[in-house]
Amino acid sequence: MTHAIIETGGKQYRVKEGDEIFIEKLDVDANDKVTFDKVLAIFDAEGAPQIGEPYLNGAKVSANVVKNGKSKKIIVFKMRPKKGYRRKQGHRQPYTKVLIEKIVV
């Protein structure tokens, strides 16, 4: 099975064909095609790994956008003891869910 390490949204993900991953929100609609060309490394089952410096030339990972959404709410609570300062704020991080279709070397 071929694995690849891609970079998107300032983060790195290890993916293989058929994986569904949650990444930082992209400006695309559902059922659109996305191509990740910042491929850091590719690991084949039979061959030696290919490592980029920093990226591999000509390597691409194509994916299909499943949906855009928001993650569960987290609470951001700030407090100063003995001062009467309290701030409660919620945050929902937007994401894009993609299905990895093909890894091209």
Side-chain angles (χ1 to χ4, degrees), residues 52-63:
E53 296 177 1
Y55 305 116
L56 286 171
N57 292 329
K60 294 186 253 187
V61 175
S62 61

Side-chain angles (χ1 to χ4, degrees), residues 58-77:
K60 294 186 253 187
V61 175
S62 61
N64 188 20
V65 176
V66 177
K67 70 174 186 173
N68 290 313
K70 289 185 178 181
S71 60
K72 292 188 176 186
K73 183 179 279 192
I74 62 166
I75 303 299
V76 180
F77 187 74

